[in-house]
Amino acid sequence: MLNRVILIGRLTRDPELRYTPAGVAVTQFTLAVDRPFVSSQSKEREADFIPVVTWRQLAETCANYLRKGRLTAVEGRIQVRSYDNNEGRKVYVTEIIADNVRFLESSNSGNREEGSYSGGSGNGYSGGGNSNSSRNTRDQQQDPFLDDGKPIDISDDDLPF
């Protein structure tokens, strides 16, 4: 059986860090994940708001570095738990227990596009001309696919199959 989830979205608020009575760190946050279609009524993209829980060192790291609005990838498993509320009703909670969290934007990024920048011109950069041109030149020098479309000289010994 398999219970594996991978999500990419933006935090709806700063993570909440707490500690269990045994001293184990636990962080909770909500990830807003866009749906792949546009609503026919409102003509706007809808999102799902998915609760995420992290434990131990990962919880402390998330609390220290994640902030509201930051683009984040989460990998983990779905967990459904239940409890009885104050009125005696059973409440079910579905959440993601994350075991891997990737920060997809730098923490000091003023521009949301910066974390997903893939080279080339434009791509959402709105800074000054010198900074963009030097950044584009640097990215092109490090881009292994810069000569895209030209044949690659590779021997059969280098192929994994």
Side-chain angles (χ1 to χ4, degrees):
M1 290 182 242
L2 182 65
N3 180 356
R4 222 49 207 151
V5 175
I6 299 173
L7 301 169
I8 297 177
R10 294 196 181 275
L11 271 71
T12 61
R13 65 178 190 276
D14 290 351
E16 296 177 24
L17 175 64
R18 292 179 292 136
Y19 290 90
T20 66
V24 178
V26 59
T27 299
Q28 294 179 317
F29 57 91
T30 302
L31 208 59
V33 180
D34 286 340
R35 291 182 178 170
F37 55 86
V38 177
S39 170
S40 61
Q41 296 169 346
S42 66
K43 304 290 185 205
E44 291 184 15
R45 187 169 298 276
E46 295 179 0
D48 292 303
F49 299 92
I50 302 168
V52 178
V53 178
T54 59
W55 291 90
R56 297 175 183 77
Q57 182 63 42
L58 181 58
E60 292 176 341
T61 302
C62 287
N64 288 333
Y65 296 104
L66 286 179
R67 294 291 173 255
K68 177 182 177 178
R70 188 134 175 232
L71 188 64
T72 304
V74 170
E75 183 179 359
R77 63 183 171 84
I78 295 176
Q79 174 178 288
V80 179
R81 61 182 171 88
S82 64
Y83 65 93
D84 294 327
N85 67 8
N86 294 339
E87 299 169 358
R89 290 187 170 163
K90 187 167 276 220
V91 177
Y92 291 92
V93 178
T94 302
E95 57 200 0
I96 305 301
I97 307 301
D99 53 35
N100 190 4
V101 175
R102 302 263 177 160
F103 309 140
L104 300 180
E105 291 179 324
S106 62
S107 61
N108 59 1
S109 169
N111 186 338
R112 291 188 173 197
E113 296 289 332
E114 187 169 334
S116 61
Y117 180 71
S118 61
S121 62
N123 274 344
Y125 277 91
S126 58
N130 288 343
S131 131
N132 280 345
S133 61
S134 66
R135 183 182 317 236
N136 286 341
T137 303
R138 186 179 71 240
D139 289 343
Q140 288 174 355
Q141 291 171 351
Q142 296 174 355
D143 186 1
F145 302 105
L146 187 59
D147 294 329
D148 191 27
K150 295 181 182 176
I152 299 173
D153 185 26
I154 192 165
S155 71
D156 288 342
D157 295 336
D158 292 333
L159 296 175
F161 48 85

